[in-house]
Amino acid sequence: MAEVGHSPCSNLRNTYETSCQCQAPHEKLTIAQARLGTPVDRPVRVYADGIFDLFHSGHARALMQAKTLFPNSYLLVGVCSDDLTHKFKGFTVMNEAERYEALRHCRYVDEVIRDAPWTLTPEFLEKHKIDFVAHDDIPYSSAGSDDVYKHIKEAGMFVPTQRTEGISTSDIITRIVRDYDVYARRNLQRGYTAKELNVSFINEKKYRFQNQVDKMKEKVKNVEERSKEFVNRVEEKSHDLIQKWEEKSREFIGNFLELFGPDGAWKQMFQERSSRMLQALSPKQSPVSSPTRSRSPSRSPSPTFSWLPIKTSPPSSPKAASASISSMSEGDEDEK
């Protein structure tokens, strides 16, 4: 709860009972005097009332405006009981004790008045020493009256506040009714019984089946998301592998061309080995100045093939054979 305004009655409040009787002398104030922050010996007592069912931000903003209307103010909030509310407005979601407790924890509220009247009487205003009543300026028709705040306005005690558009208790209830099946299924899933939710046997089975279908859809969705994530990872890895393979292939082709290309190292090495083999198979001739056996100047011996045997045809007759032998002996004598 927010701090209580500086007033003599603030010391009389306790945690659970928030109503009190102000003991300070009460003098009637005009709005002009209240806006100047006078009198200095007490705050301006502002009253705001309502049902405050399903307490929401629209309620809080209205109470904030009521609290800040004047420089020094004390905000009293009246809450109608269940009996009075059900009689003039209708059934509520929260009971009166829950509504009292919700307001007690609002930071702008200085005092909660329980079982507030539906129409403000002079006796009620005098009892709580109320200077001004804060409410939105839209005429509030109820209890056989076109505007329950008409006499407050005529007395010059009414101070208007602004409604917050887009949020109200009726809007919240409309959302719940519109999405009834969703909330019924959710509460069944959380452990509430069909009897507690006022759900028929057939609807209960239908809702439970729909819950199972939703669970299955959620599992399929999770599997699809994981599959997409896995595929994305595989694509990233494959892209990296392809890039690395391209780099390695370019490096391999460059090394291959450097080794086996037209001017590569392998061709030079092959040419060197080929020349060495040719030199080994056909060595150079001996130099002319090398010492040789002295030969007759008149006859030059056969240079290379002198050691090869000379093939001769066999003699056709004994006489021819003796003639060839004699010719060979004559030749040897000539050499000697």
Side-chain angles (χ1 to χ4, degrees):
M1 185 184 298
E3 292 185 2
V4 179
H6 299 289
S7 68
C9 71
S10 62
N11 295 329
L12 302 177
R13 301 178 60 198
N14 57 50
T15 305
Y16 301 100
E17 189 60 42
T18 55
S19 62
C20 68
Q21 296 293 328
C22 184
Q23 303 298 326
H26 187 266
E27 296 179 0
K28 188 65 177 175
L29 295 176
T30 64
I31 293 180
Q33 290 175 330
R35 294 192 187 282
L36 292 175
T38 57
V40 295
D41 59 338
R42 70 172 180 88
V44 179
R45 294 174 67 83
V46 180
Y47 176 80
D49 60 356
I51 309 303
F52 300 104
D53 191 20
L54 296 175
F55 190 82
H56 51 74
S57 61
H59 294 143
R61 290 177 65 86
L63 296 175
M64 177 190 69
Q65 294 177 60
K67 176 67 175 177
T68 58
L69 285 171
F70 307 107
N72 183 20
S73 62
Y74 182 86
L75 180 60
L76 303 95
V77 180
V79 184
C80 300
S81 64
D82 287 344
D83 292 339
L84 201 60
T85 304
H86 298 166
K87 178 181 177 181
F88 290 107
K89 189 169 185 178
F91 191 73
T92 58
V93 178
M94 301 169 65
N95 59 44
E96 59 184 46
E98 293 169 336
R99 292 185 283 120
Y100 297 153
E101 189 67 13
L103 279 167
R104 193 173 69 84
H105 292 282
C106 180
R107 61 184 296 185
Y108 307 111
V109 177
D110 295 309
E111 183 177 333
V112 175
I113 300 177
R114 301 166 182 254
D115 194 13
W118 198 260
T119 302
L120 299 178
T121 62
E123 293 78 15
F124 180 82
L125 297 175
E126 181 63 28
K127 175 183 176 181
H128 295 281
K129 295 180 171 55
I130 296 171
D131 294 311
F132 301 100
V133 176
H135 200 273
D136 62 80
D137 202 14
I138 300 173
Y140 193 80
S141 59
S142 180
S145 174
D146 293 337
D147 189 359
V148 296
Y149 297 104
K150 181 178 180 181
H151 63 291
I152 303 296
K153 295 176 181 177
E154 292 175 351
M157 298 176 61
F158 187 84
V159 184
T161 58
Q162 298 295 323
R163 292 178 62 90
T164 302
E165 298 297 331
I167 183 67
S168 68
T169 302
S170 298
D171 292 338
I172 295 174
I173 294 175
T174 301
R175 296 178 201 173
I176 296 172
V177 173
R178 181 190 61 198
D179 300 326
Y180 169 78
D181 289 350
V182 175
Y183 296 123
R185 288 168 51 193
R186 183 186 68 177
N187 286 354
L188 281 173
Q189 191 173 4
R190 291 182 176 180
Y192 288 88
T193 63
K195 184 178 180 180
E196 291 173 329
L197 297 172
N198 196 24
V199 173
S200 66
F201 177 80
I202 296 176
N203 284 337
E204 178 189 5
K205 297 304 178 184
K206 181 183 72 173
Y207 293 151
R208 294 192 184 279
F209 177 74
Q210 289 174 345
N211 287 335
Q212 294 297 327
V213 172
D214 289 344
K215 286 182 180 179
M216 186 61 65
K217 288 181 179 179
E218 188 68 22
K219 289 182 180 180
V220 172
K221 183 179 178 181
N222 292 336
V223 171
E224 289 179 352
E225 291 178 355
R226 292 178 182 177
S227 301
K228 289 180 181 179
E229 184 178 356
F230 176 76
V231 170
N232 292 333
R233 289 181 180 178
V234 171
E235 288 179 352
E236 291 177 359
K237 292 291 184 182
S238 61
H239 180 73
D240 293 340
L241 290 174
I242 292 173
Q243 187 175 2
K244 291 181 179 179
W245 183 84
E246 290 178 350
E247 293 175 358
K248 292 295 182 182
S249 62
R250 286 195 294 267
E251 182 180 355
F252 175 78
I253 293 172
N255 294 336
F256 181 85
L257 292 176
E258 184 179 354
L259 185 62
F260 298 102
D263 299 327
W266 177 259
K267 182 177 181 181
Q268 296 178 0
M269 182 175 65
F270 180 76
Q271 290 177 350
E272 292 177 358
R273 290 188 178 182
S274 298
S275 62
R276 291 177 183 175
M277 290 178 66
L278 290 175
Q279 290 178 2
L281 292 175
S282 57
K284 295 181 179 180
Q285 294 181 357
S286 300
V288 180
S289 59
S290 59
T292 54
R293 194 173 50 169
S294 61
R295 299 186 181 203
S296 171
S298 61
R299 290 178 132 183
S300 60
S302 177
T304 306
F305 304 102
S306 59
W307 54 275
L308 294 176
I310 299 174
K311 291 184 179 181
T312 57
S313 59
S316 58
S317 62
K319 290 182 179 181
S322 61
S324 62
I325 292 172
S326 61
S327 63
M328 288 176 64
S329 62
E330 288 177 358
D332 290 338
E333 288 178 357
D334 291 335
E335 286 181 0
K336 293 178 180 179

